[in-house]
Amino acid sequence: MAPVPDAAASDGRLSFDGVEVLAPMVRASTLALRLECLRYGADLVFGEEIIDKKLLGAVRVENVAFGSVDFVSPNEKVLIF
């Protein structure tokens, strides 16, 4: 993986010159895709926006395989957070 360029510009502001960024995309911003993009050279990747109504309706599920807690949409059966 290439080194990430220094984000500090000479005037103190952030600079993203030379940085490959992957923005969230509708129905194509899963963790697996973002990790793969990092593997293929993206410097920054962002997840999709979490909609508060979707998070409020989520079910808390312990993920034993990863030792984490997931929040899953009961209607769509997909991981929210």
mmCIF file of all heavy atoms in Angstrom, residues 4-58:
data_model
loop_
_atom_site.group_PDB
_atom_site.id
_atom_site.type_symbol
_atom_site.label_atom_id
_atom_site.label_comp_id
_atom_site.label_asym_id
_atom_site.label_seq_id
_atom_site.Cartn_x
_atom_site.Cartn_y
_atom_site.Cartn_z
ATOM 1 N N VAL A 4 0.266 7.359 2.649
ATOM 2 C CA VAL A 4 -0.755 8.396 2.530
ATOM 3 C C VAL A 4 -0.072 9.755 2.562
ATOM 4 O O VAL A 4 0.752 10.009 3.440
ATOM 5 C CB VAL A 4 -1.785 8.286 3.682
ATOM 6 C CG1 VAL A 4 -2.805 9.408 3.600
ATOM 7 C CG2 VAL A 4 -2.469 6.933 3.645
ATOM 8 N N PRO A 5 -0.388 10.629 1.598
ATOM 9 C CA PRO A 5 0.231 11.956 1.593
ATOM 10 C C PRO A 5 -0.125 12.742 2.845
ATOM 11 O O PRO A 5 -1.149 12.502 3.479
ATOM 12 C CB PRO A 5 -0.373 12.625 0.354
ATOM 13 C CG PRO A 5 -0.937 11.526 -0.457
ATOM 14 C CD PRO A 5 -1.275 10.417 0.482
ATOM 15 N N ASP A 6 0.730 13.688 3.223
ATOM 16 C CA ASP A 6 0.484 14.536 4.383
ATOM 17 C C ASP A 6 -0.751 15.384 4.113
ATOM 18 O O ASP A 6 -0.828 16.077 3.101
ATOM 19 C CB ASP A 6 1.707 15.416 4.630
ATOM 20 C CG ASP A 6 1.600 16.211 5.912
ATOM 21 O OD1 ASP A 6 0.686 15.942 6.716
ATOM 22 O OD2 ASP A 6 2.440 17.101 6.117
ATOM 23 N N ALA A 7 -1.728 15.352 5.010
ATOM 24 C CA ALA A 7 -2.988 16.064 4.794
ATOM 25 C C ALA A 7 -2.910 17.524 5.210
ATOM 26 O O ALA A 7 -3.820 18.285 4.940
ATOM 27 C CB ALA A 7 -4.114 15.370 5.557
ATOM 28 N N ALA A 8 -1.849 17.945 5.882
ATOM 29 C CA ALA A 8 -1.739 19.335 6.328
ATOM 30 C C ALA A 8 -1.145 20.194 5.221
ATOM 31 O O ALA A 8 -0.043 19.958 4.763
ATOM 32 C CB ALA A 8 -0.883 19.414 7.579
ATOM 33 N N ALA A 9 -1.899 21.176 4.776
ATOM 34 C CA ALA A 9 -1.407 22.111 3.764
ATOM 35 C C ALA A 9 -0.554 23.177 4.448
ATOM 36 O O ALA A 9 -0.569 23.315 5.667
ATOM 37 C CB ALA A 9 -2.589 22.744 3.031
ATOM 38 N N SER A 10 0.179 23.942 3.662
ATOM 39 C CA SER A 10 1.073 24.959 4.222
ATOM 40 C C SER A 10 0.322 26.042 4.992
ATOM 41 O O SER A 10 0.874 26.665 5.889
ATOM 42 C CB SER A 10 1.908 25.589 3.111
ATOM 43 O OG SER A 10 1.053 26.176 2.149
ATOM 44 N N ASP A 11 -0.949 26.270 4.660
ATOM 45 C CA ASP A 11 -1.723 27.304 5.356
ATOM 46 C C ASP A 11 -2.502 26.746 6.541
ATOM 47 O O ASP A 11 -3.322 27.435 7.129
ATOM 48 C CB ASP A 11 -2.663 28.021 4.388
ATOM 49 C CG ASP A 11 -3.660 27.089 3.731
ATOM 50 O OD1 ASP A 11 -3.669 25.883 4.047
ATOM 51 O OD2 ASP A 11 -4.438 27.564 2.892
ATOM 52 N N GLY A 12 -2.269 25.478 6.909
ATOM 53 C CA GLY A 12 -2.918 24.882 8.078
ATOM 54 C C GLY A 12 -4.219 24.166 7.784
ATOM 55 O O GLY A 12 -4.768 23.498 8.648
ATOM 56 N N ARG A 13 -4.744 24.300 6.569
ATOM 57 C CA ARG A 13 -5.987 23.608 6.218
ATOM 58 C C ARG A 13 -5.676 22.195 5.743
ATOM 59 O O ARG A 13 -4.550 21.892 5.365
ATOM 60 C CB ARG A 13 -6.733 24.359 5.121
ATOM 61 C CG ARG A 13 -7.233 25.722 5.581
ATOM 62 C CD ARG A 13 -8.034 26.400 4.526
ATOM 63 N NE ARG A 13 -7.186 26.662 3.365
ATOM 64 C CZ ARG A 13 -7.624 27.071 2.195
ATOM 65 N NH1 ARG A 13 -8.908 27.262 1.997
ATOM 66 N NH2 ARG A 13 -6.806 27.284 1.193
ATOM 67 N N LEU A 14 -6.690 21.348 5.757
ATOM 68 C CA LEU A 14 -6.509 19.995 5.237
ATOM 69 C C LEU A 14 -6.423 20.024 3.716
ATOM 70 O O LEU A 14 -7.120 20.779 3.058
ATOM 71 C CB LEU A 14 -7.677 19.097 5.646
ATOM 72 C CG LEU A 14 -7.735 18.684 7.104
ATOM 73 C CD1 LEU A 14 -8.977 17.835 7.352
ATOM 74 C CD2 LEU A 14 -6.495 17.918 7.503
ATOM 75 N N SER A 15 -5.563 19.182 3.181
ATOM 76 C CA SER A 15 -5.422 19.065 1.739
ATOM 77 C C SER A 15 -5.512 17.589 1.377
ATOM 78 O O SER A 15 -4.879 16.753 2.009
ATOM 79 C CB SER A 15 -4.064 19.620 1.297
ATOM 80 O OG SER A 15 -3.853 19.320 -0.059
ATOM 81 N N PHE A 16 -6.299 17.293 0.378
ATOM 82 C CA PHE A 16 -6.440 15.916 -0.060
ATOM 83 C C PHE A 16 -5.829 15.720 -1.449
ATOM 84 O O PHE A 16 -6.230 14.834 -2.190
ATOM 85 C CB PHE A 16 -7.910 15.495 -0.040
ATOM 86 C CG PHE A 16 -8.471 15.438 1.352
ATOM 87 C CD1 PHE A 16 -9.232 16.482 1.849
ATOM 88 C CD2 PHE A 16 -8.205 14.362 2.174
ATOM 89 C CE1 PHE A 16 -9.735 16.441 3.137
ATOM 90 C CE2 PHE A 16 -8.693 14.321 3.458
ATOM 91 C CZ PHE A 16 -9.458 15.359 3.949
ATOM 92 N N ASP A 17 -4.838 16.533 -1.786
ATOM 93 C CA ASP A 17 -4.141 16.384 -3.060
ATOM 94 C C ASP A 17 -3.460 15.023 -3.105
ATOM 95 O O ASP A 17 -2.764 14.625 -2.174
ATOM 96 C CB ASP A 17 -3.098 17.483 -3.237
ATOM 97 C CG ASP A 17 -3.717 18.855 -3.431
ATOM 98 O OD1 ASP A 17 -4.908 18.916 -3.775
ATOM 99 O OD2 ASP A 17 -3.003 19.850 -3.225
ATOM 100 N N GLY A 18 -3.669 14.287 -4.172
ATOM 101 C CA GLY A 18 -3.025 12.992 -4.341
ATOM 102 C C GLY A 18 -3.635 11.864 -3.531
ATOM 103 O O GLY A 18 -3.068 10.788 -3.438
ATOM 104 N N VAL A 19 -4.794 12.097 -2.936
ATOM 105 C CA VAL A 19 -5.450 11.083 -2.114
ATOM 106 C C VAL A 19 -6.608 10.481 -2.898
ATOM 107 O O VAL A 19 -7.423 11.196 -3.486
ATOM 108 C CB VAL A 19 -5.971 11.694 -0.790
ATOM 109 C CG1 VAL A 19 -6.720 10.672 0.030
ATOM 110 C CG2 VAL A 19 -4.815 12.258 0.018
ATOM 111 N N GLU A 20 -6.673 9.148 -2.936
ATOM 112 C CA GLU A 20 -7.782 8.449 -3.586
ATOM 113 C C GLU A 20 -8.890 8.250 -2.553
ATOM 114 O O GLU A 20 -8.678 7.625 -1.513
ATOM 115 C CB GLU A 20 -7.330 7.089 -4.113
ATOM 116 C CG GLU A 20 -6.247 7.169 -5.168
ATOM 117 C CD GLU A 20 -6.737 7.781 -6.468
ATOM 118 O OE1 GLU A 20 -7.929 7.624 -6.798
ATOM 119 O OE2 GLU A 20 -5.917 8.419 -7.145
ATOM 120 N N VAL A 21 -10.085 8.792 -2.831
ATOM 121 C CA VAL A 21 -11.195 8.764 -1.883
ATOM 122 C C VAL A 21 -12.366 8.020 -2.506
ATOM 123 O O VAL A 21 -12.720 8.255 -3.653
ATOM 124 C CB VAL A 21 -11.631 10.198 -1.501
ATOM 125 C CG1 VAL A 21 -12.813 10.174 -0.543
ATOM 126 C CG2 VAL A 21 -10.465 10.963 -0.897
ATOM 127 N N LEU A 22 -12.967 7.112 -1.721
ATOM 128 C CA LEU A 22 -14.176 6.415 -2.153
ATOM 129 C C LEU A 22 -15.336 6.942 -1.321
ATOM 130 O O LEU A 22 -15.365 6.770 -0.114
ATOM 131 C CB LEU A 22 -14.045 4.905 -1.955
ATOM 132 C CG LEU A 22 -15.298 4.098 -2.266
ATOM 133 C CD1 LEU A 22 -15.547 4.085 -3.779
ATOM 134 C CD2 LEU A 22 -15.183 2.693 -1.749
ATOM 135 N N ALA A 23 -16.273 7.607 -1.979
ATOM 136 C CA ALA A 23 -17.438 8.149 -1.297
ATOM 137 C C ALA A 23 -18.523 7.083 -1.225
ATOM 138 O O ALA A 23 -18.515 6.125 -2.001
ATOM 139 C CB ALA A 23 -17.955 9.367 -2.056
ATOM 140 N N PRO A 24 -19.460 7.226 -0.289
ATOM 141 C CA PRO A 24 -20.535 6.237 -0.204
ATOM 142 C C PRO A 24 -21.404 6.248 -1.452
ATOM 143 O O PRO A 24 -21.632 7.290 -2.053
ATOM 144 C CB PRO A 24 -21.341 6.678 1.021
ATOM 145 C CG PRO A 24 -20.888 8.037 1.348
ATOM 146 C CD PRO A 24 -19.566 8.259 0.700
ATOM 147 N N MET A 25 -21.841 5.056 -1.841
ATOM 148 C CA MET A 25 -22.697 4.917 -3.009
ATOM 149 C C MET A 25 -23.965 4.176 -2.589
ATOM 150 O O MET A 25 -23.931 3.349 -1.679
ATOM 151 C CB MET A 25 -21.977 4.124 -4.101
ATOM 152 C CG MET A 25 -20.702 4.794 -4.563
ATOM 153 S SD MET A 25 -19.768 3.769 -5.720
ATOM 154 C CE MET A 25 -19.098 2.538 -4.616
ATOM 155 N N VAL A 26 -25.058 4.483 -3.236
ATOM 156 C CA VAL A 26 -26.323 3.835 -2.913
ATOM 157 C C VAL A 26 -26.231 2.344 -3.218
ATOM 158 O O VAL A 26 -25.828 1.954 -4.308
ATOM 159 C CB VAL A 26 -27.479 4.476 -3.712
ATOM 160 C CG1 VAL A 26 -28.794 3.747 -3.451
ATOM 161 C CG2 VAL A 26 -27.596 5.946 -3.355
ATOM 162 N N ARG A 27 -26.555 1.504 -2.244
ATOM 163 C CA ARG A 27 -26.571 0.040 -2.348
ATOM 164 C C ARG A 27 -25.219 -0.555 -2.748
ATOM 165 O O ARG A 27 -25.145 -1.679 -3.209
ATOM 166 C CB ARG A 27 -27.666 -0.418 -3.306
ATOM 167 C CG ARG A 27 -29.055 -0.220 -2.747
ATOM 168 C CD ARG A 27 -30.123 -0.766 -3.673
ATOM 169 N NE ARG A 27 -30.201 -0.087 -4.949
ATOM 170 C CZ ARG A 27 -30.823 1.057 -5.167
ATOM 171 N NH1 ARG A 27 -31.422 1.674 -4.190
ATOM 172 N NH2 ARG A 27 -30.857 1.586 -6.368
ATOM 173 N N ALA A 28 -24.141 0.203 -2.603
ATOM 174 C CA ALA A 28 -22.825 -0.345 -2.929
ATOM 175 C C ALA A 28 -21.780 0.259 -1.992
ATOM 176 O O ALA A 28 -20.787 0.800 -2.436
ATOM 177 C CB ALA A 28 -22.473 -0.072 -4.379
ATOM 178 N N SER A 29 -22.040 0.190 -0.711
ATOM 179 C CA SER A 29 -21.095 0.772 0.243
ATOM 180 C C SER A 29 -20.948 -0.152 1.448
ATOM 181 O O SER A 29 -20.871 0.300 2.578
ATOM 182 C CB SER A 29 -21.568 2.158 0.666
ATOM 183 O OG SER A 29 -20.532 2.813 1.352
ATOM 184 N N THR A 30 -20.919 -1.440 1.193
ATOM 185 C CA THR A 30 -20.797 -2.393 2.286
ATOM 186 C C THR A 30 -19.373 -2.393 2.828
ATOM 187 O O THR A 30 -18.432 -1.933 2.178
ATOM 188 C CB THR A 30 -21.138 -3.815 1.807
ATOM 189 O OG1 THR A 30 -20.188 -4.181 0.801
ATOM 190 C CG2 THR A 30 -22.548 -3.897 1.253
ATOM 191 N N LEU A 31 -19.210 -2.908 4.038
ATOM 192 C CA LEU A 31 -17.887 -2.982 4.641
ATOM 193 C C LEU A 31 -16.942 -3.794 3.763
ATOM 194 O O LEU A 31 -15.787 -3.407 3.563
ATOM 195 C CB LEU A 31 -17.976 -3.592 6.039
ATOM 196 C CG LEU A 31 -16.647 -3.808 6.748
ATOM 197 C CD1 LEU A 31 -15.896 -2.502 6.918
ATOM 198 C CD2 LEU A 31 -16.863 -4.488 8.082
ATOM 199 N N ALA A 32 -17.428 -4.891 3.223
ATOM 200 C CA ALA A 32 -16.576 -5.729 2.369
ATOM 201 C C ALA A 32 -16.059 -4.948 1.163
ATOM 202 O O ALA A 32 -14.885 -5.035 0.810
ATOM 203 C CB ALA A 32 -17.349 -6.956 1.906
ATOM 204 N N LEU A 33 -16.915 -4.159 0.531
ATOM 205 C CA LEU A 33 -16.493 -3.354 -0.619
ATOM 206 C C LEU A 33 -15.475 -2.300 -0.191
ATOM 207 O O LEU A 33 -14.467 -2.083 -0.860
ATOM 208 C CB LEU A 33 -17.691 -2.678 -1.283
ATOM 209 C CG LEU A 33 -17.338 -1.708 -2.418
ATOM 210 C CD1 LEU A 33 -16.693 -2.447 -3.581
ATOM 211 C CD2 LEU A 33 -18.550 -0.942 -2.871
ATOM 212 N N ARG A 34 -15.719 -1.636 0.936
ATOM 213 C CA ARG A 34 -14.788 -0.605 1.395
ATOM 214 C C ARG A 34 -13.426 -1.203 1.738
ATOM 215 O O ARG A 34 -12.382 -0.630 1.408
ATOM 216 C CB ARG A 34 -15.379 0.141 2.584
ATOM 217 C CG ARG A 34 -16.617 0.958 2.207
ATOM 218 C CD ARG A 34 -17.069 1.902 3.291
ATOM 219 N NE ARG A 34 -17.247 1.329 4.595
ATOM 220 C CZ ARG A 34 -18.392 0.826 5.076
ATOM 221 N NH1 ARG A 34 -19.462 0.804 4.305
ATOM 222 N NH2 ARG A 34 -18.470 0.353 6.289
ATOM 223 N N LEU A 35 -13.400 -2.369 2.362
ATOM 224 C CA LEU A 35 -12.130 -3.023 2.679
ATOM 225 C C LEU A 35 -11.381 -3.422 1.415
ATOM 226 O O LEU A 35 -10.168 -3.290 1.318
ATOM 227 C CB LEU A 35 -12.371 -4.248 3.569
ATOM 228 C CG LEU A 35 -12.840 -3.951 4.989
ATOM 229 C CD1 LEU A 35 -13.192 -5.248 5.710
ATOM 230 C CD2 LEU A 35 -11.795 -3.160 5.765
ATOM 231 N N GLU A 36 -12.123 -3.906 0.424
ATOM 232 C CA GLU A 36 -11.509 -4.275 -0.850
ATOM 233 C C GLU A 36 -10.932 -3.045 -1.557
ATOM 234 O O GLU A 36 -9.859 -3.099 -2.140
ATOM 235 C CB GLU A 36 -12.549 -4.969 -1.738
ATOM 236 C CG GLU A 36 -11.978 -5.718 -2.895
ATOM 237 C CD GLU A 36 -11.214 -6.976 -2.501
ATOM 238 O OE1 GLU A 36 -11.204 -7.375 -1.322
ATOM 239 O OE2 GLU A 36 -10.604 -7.560 -3.405
ATOM 240 N N CYS A 37 -11.641 -1.930 -1.489
ATOM 241 C CA CYS A 37 -11.146 -0.695 -2.099
ATOM 242 C C CYS A 37 -9.869 -0.226 -1.417
ATOM 243 O O CYS A 37 -8.944 0.245 -2.080
ATOM 244 C CB CYS A 37 -12.216 0.387 -2.031
ATOM 245 S SG CYS A 37 -13.612 0.049 -3.129
ATOM 246 N N LEU A 38 -9.789 -0.356 -0.098
ATOM 247 C CA LEU A 38 -8.551 -0.029 0.613
ATOM 248 C C LEU A 38 -7.421 -0.940 0.142
ATOM 249 O O LEU A 38 -6.295 -0.494 -0.070
ATOM 250 C CB LEU A 38 -8.746 -0.169 2.128
ATOM 251 C CG LEU A 38 -9.564 0.924 2.802
ATOM 252 C CD1 LEU A 38 -9.876 0.540 4.244
ATOM 253 C CD2 LEU A 38 -8.837 2.266 2.749
ATOM 254 N N ARG A 39 -7.735 -2.209 -0.024
ATOM 255 C CA ARG A 39 -6.735 -3.172 -0.479
ATOM 256 C C ARG A 39 -6.212 -2.829 -1.876
ATOM 257 O O ARG A 39 -5.045 -3.044 -2.187
ATOM 258 C CB ARG A 39 -7.340 -4.573 -0.468
ATOM 259 C CG ARG A 39 -6.297 -5.661 -0.580
ATOM 260 C CD ARG A 39 -6.921 -7.017 -0.471
ATOM 261 N NE ARG A 39 -6.551 -7.681 -1.714
ATOM 262 C CZ ARG A 39 -7.220 -8.638 -2.298
ATOM 263 N NH1 ARG A 39 -8.321 -9.076 -1.779
ATOM 264 N NH2 ARG A 39 -6.808 -9.176 -3.403
ATOM 265 N N TYR A 40 -7.092 -2.276 -2.707
ATOM 266 C CA TYR A 40 -6.705 -1.935 -4.077
ATOM 267 C C TYR A 40 -6.193 -0.506 -4.222
ATOM 268 O O TYR A 40 -6.027 -0.016 -5.331
ATOM 269 C CB TYR A 40 -7.863 -2.186 -5.043
ATOM 270 C CG TYR A 40 -7.939 -3.626 -5.472
ATOM 271 C CD1 TYR A 40 -8.718 -4.529 -4.771
ATOM 272 C CD2 TYR A 40 -7.206 -4.083 -6.561
ATOM 273 C CE1 TYR A 40 -8.770 -5.865 -5.154
ATOM 274 C CE2 TYR A 40 -7.261 -5.407 -6.948
ATOM 275 C CZ TYR A 40 -8.041 -6.292 -6.238
ATOM 276 O OH TYR A 40 -8.095 -7.615 -6.605
ATOM 277 N N GLY A 41 -5.951 0.177 -3.094
ATOM 278 C CA GLY A 41 -5.271 1.461 -3.187
ATOM 279 C C GLY A 41 -6.007 2.707 -2.751
ATOM 280 O O GLY A 41 -5.431 3.789 -2.784
ATOM 281 N N ALA A 42 -7.266 2.604 -2.361
ATOM 282 C CA ALA A 42 -7.953 3.806 -1.868
ATOM 283 C C ALA A 42 -7.301 4.240 -0.553
ATOM 284 O O ALA A 42 -6.924 3.408 0.271
ATOM 285 C CB ALA A 42 -9.439 3.522 -1.657
ATOM 286 N N ASP A 43 -7.146 5.540 -0.366
ATOM 287 C CA ASP A 43 -6.562 6.061 0.862
ATOM 288 C C ASP A 43 -7.621 6.295 1.937
ATOM 289 O O ASP A 43 -7.367 6.111 3.115
ATOM 290 C CB ASP A 43 -5.833 7.380 0.583
ATOM 291 C CG ASP A 43 -4.654 7.179 -0.359
ATOM 292 O OD1 ASP A 43 -3.808 6.321 -0.062
ATOM 293 O OD2 ASP A 43 -4.591 7.871 -1.387
ATOM 294 N N LEU A 44 -8.810 6.732 1.515
ATOM 295 C CA LEU A 44 -9.927 6.982 2.427
ATOM 296 C C LEU A 44 -11.190 6.361 1.859
ATOM 297 O O LEU A 44 -11.455 6.474 0.661
ATOM 298 C CB LEU A 44 -10.170 8.486 2.590
ATOM 299 C CG LEU A 44 -9.097 9.310 3.270
ATOM 300 C CD1 LEU A 44 -9.421 10.791 3.150
ATOM 301 C CD2 LEU A 44 -8.987 8.919 4.724
ATOM 302 N N VAL A 45 -11.977 5.717 2.704
ATOM 303 C CA VAL A 45 -13.286 5.213 2.293
ATOM 304 C C VAL A 45 -14.306 5.641 3.349
ATOM 305 O O VAL A 45 -13.978 5.749 4.520
ATOM 306 C CB VAL A 45 -13.307 3.671 2.117
ATOM 307 C CG1 VAL A 45 -12.411 3.248 0.980
ATOM 308 C CG2 VAL A 45 -12.917 2.954 3.386
ATOM 309 N N PHE A 46 -15.505 5.902 2.915
ATOM 310 C CA PHE A 46 -16.555 6.349 3.813
ATOM 311 C C PHE A 46 -17.750 5.424 3.715
ATOM 312 O O PHE A 46 -18.094 4.961 2.628
ATOM 313 C CB PHE A 46 -17.007 7.779 3.459
ATOM 314 C CG PHE A 46 -15.944 8.807 3.693
ATOM 315 C CD1 PHE A 46 -15.083 9.176 2.679
ATOM 316 C CD2 PHE A 46 -15.788 9.386 4.941
ATOM 317 C CE1 PHE A 46 -14.100 10.120 2.885
ATOM 318 C CE2 PHE A 46 -14.801 10.317 5.164
ATOM 319 C CZ PHE A 46 -13.957 10.689 4.138
ATOM 320 N N GLY A 47 -18.400 5.177 4.841
ATOM 321 C CA GLY A 47 -19.617 4.380 4.867
ATOM 322 C C GLY A 47 -20.828 5.241 4.550
ATOM 323 O O GLY A 47 -20.760 6.468 4.536
ATOM 324 N N GLU A 48 -21.918 4.576 4.301
ATOM 325 C CA GLU A 48 -23.140 5.292 3.974
ATOM 326 C C GLU A 48 -23.706 5.970 5.217
ATOM 327 O O GLU A 48 -23.383 5.618 6.337
ATOM 328 C CB GLU A 48 -24.177 4.353 3.359
ATOM 329 C CG GLU A 48 -24.730 3.326 4.317
ATOM 330 C CD GLU A 48 -23.891 2.077 4.445
ATOM 331 O OE1 GLU A 48 -22.815 1.988 3.857
ATOM 332 O OE2 GLU A 48 -24.332 1.177 5.171
ATOM 333 N N GLU A 49 -24.571 6.929 4.988
ATOM 334 C CA GLU A 49 -25.234 7.638 6.068
ATOM 335 C C GLU A 49 -26.208 6.679 6.766
ATOM 336 O O GLU A 49 -26.917 5.921 6.107
ATOM 337 C CB GLU A 49 -25.996 8.813 5.461
ATOM 338 C CG GLU A 49 -26.837 9.576 6.422
ATOM 339 C CD GLU A 49 -27.616 10.675 5.722
ATOM 340 O OE1 GLU A 49 -27.814 10.596 4.502
ATOM 341 O OE2 GLU A 49 -28.036 11.597 6.407
ATOM 342 N N ILE A 50 -26.215 6.703 8.080
ATOM 343 C CA ILE A 50 -27.170 5.880 8.819
ATOM 344 C C ILE A 50 -28.431 6.708 9.053
ATOM 345 O O ILE A 50 -28.363 7.807 9.595
ATOM 346 C CB ILE A 50 -26.591 5.416 10.166
ATOM 347 C CG1 ILE A 50 -25.380 4.529 9.938
ATOM 348 C CG2 ILE A 50 -27.653 4.694 10.983
ATOM 349 C CD1 ILE A 50 -24.693 4.102 11.210
ATOM 350 N N ILE A 51 -29.543 6.207 8.607
ATOM 351 C CA ILE A 51 -30.813 6.911 8.772
ATOM 352 C C ILE A 51 -31.345 6.594 10.163
ATOM 353 O O ILE A 51 -31.440 5.428 10.553
ATOM 354 C CB ILE A 51 -31.811 6.492 7.679
ATOM 355 C CG1 ILE A 51 -31.221 6.828 6.309
ATOM 356 C CG2 ILE A 51 -33.156 7.158 7.882
ATOM 357 C CD1 ILE A 51 -31.989 6.261 5.150
ATOM 358 N N ASP A 52 -31.692 7.631 10.922
ATOM 359 C CA ASP A 52 -32.078 7.441 12.313
ATOM 360 C C ASP A 52 -33.277 6.509 12.484
ATOM 361 O O ASP A 52 -33.312 5.702 13.403
ATOM 362 C CB ASP A 52 -32.331 8.772 13.002
ATOM 363 C CG ASP A 52 -33.413 9.613 12.331
ATOM 364 O OD1 ASP A 52 -33.848 9.251 11.226
ATOM 365 O OD2 ASP A 52 -33.807 10.622 12.925
ATOM 366 N N LYS A 53 -34.257 6.559 11.583
ATOM 367 C CA LYS A 53 -35.420 5.673 11.699
ATOM 368 C C LYS A 53 -35.005 4.211 11.554
ATOM 369 O O LYS A 53 -35.529 3.330 12.210
ATOM 370 C CB LYS A 53 -36.468 6.018 10.644
ATOM 371 C CG LYS A 53 -37.183 7.315 10.896
ATOM 372 C CD LYS A 53 -38.198 7.581 9.810
ATOM 373 C CE LYS A 53 -38.855 8.927 10.024
ATOM 374 N NZ LYS A 53 -39.782 9.251 8.956
ATOM 375 N N LYS A 54 -34.058 3.962 10.665
ATOM 376 C CA LYS A 54 -33.587 2.600 10.447
ATOM 377 C C LYS A 54 -32.839 2.102 11.688
ATOM 378 O O LYS A 54 -32.976 0.961 12.101
ATOM 379 C CB LYS A 54 -32.681 2.551 9.224
ATOM 380 C CG LYS A 54 -32.406 1.150 8.739
ATOM 381 C CD LYS A 54 -31.611 1.180 7.461
ATOM 382 C CE LYS A 54 -32.516 0.878 6.306
ATOM 383 N NZ LYS A 54 -31.798 0.601 5.074
ATOM 384 N N LEU A 55 -32.050 2.968 12.306
ATOM 385 C CA LEU A 55 -31.299 2.593 13.499
ATOM 386 C C LEU A 55 -32.228 2.356 14.683
ATOM 387 O O LEU A 55 -32.027 1.432 15.461
ATOM 388 C CB LEU A 55 -30.264 3.672 13.828
ATOM 389 C CG LEU A 55 -29.246 3.336 14.896
ATOM 390 C CD1 LEU A 55 -28.472 2.078 14.537
ATOM 391 C CD2 LEU A 55 -28.290 4.489 15.108
ATOM 392 N N LEU A 56 -33.275 3.173 14.809
ATOM 393 C CA LEU A 56 -34.224 3.007 15.909
ATOM 394 C C LEU A 56 -34.972 1.679 15.825
ATOM 395 O O LEU A 56 -35.309 1.083 16.840
ATOM 396 C CB LEU A 56 -35.233 4.160 15.934
ATOM 397 C CG LEU A 56 -34.693 5.490 16.429
ATOM 398 C CD1 LEU A 56 -35.720 6.586 16.224
ATOM 399 C CD2 LEU A 56 -34.295 5.398 17.885
ATOM 400 N N GLY A 57 -35.230 1.201 14.620
ATOM 401 C CA GLY A 57 -35.956 -0.058 14.447
ATOM 402 C C GLY A 57 -35.057 -1.285 14.427
ATOM 403 O O GLY A 57 -35.533 -2.407 14.292
ATOM 404 N N ALA A 58 -33.758 -1.082 14.576
ATOM 405 C CA ALA A 58 -32.813 -2.197 14.478
ATOM 406 C C ALA A 58 -32.861 -3.096 15.715
ATOM 407 O O ALA A 58 -33.223 -2.674 16.804
ATOM 408 C CB ALA A 58 -31.403 -1.655 14.303
#
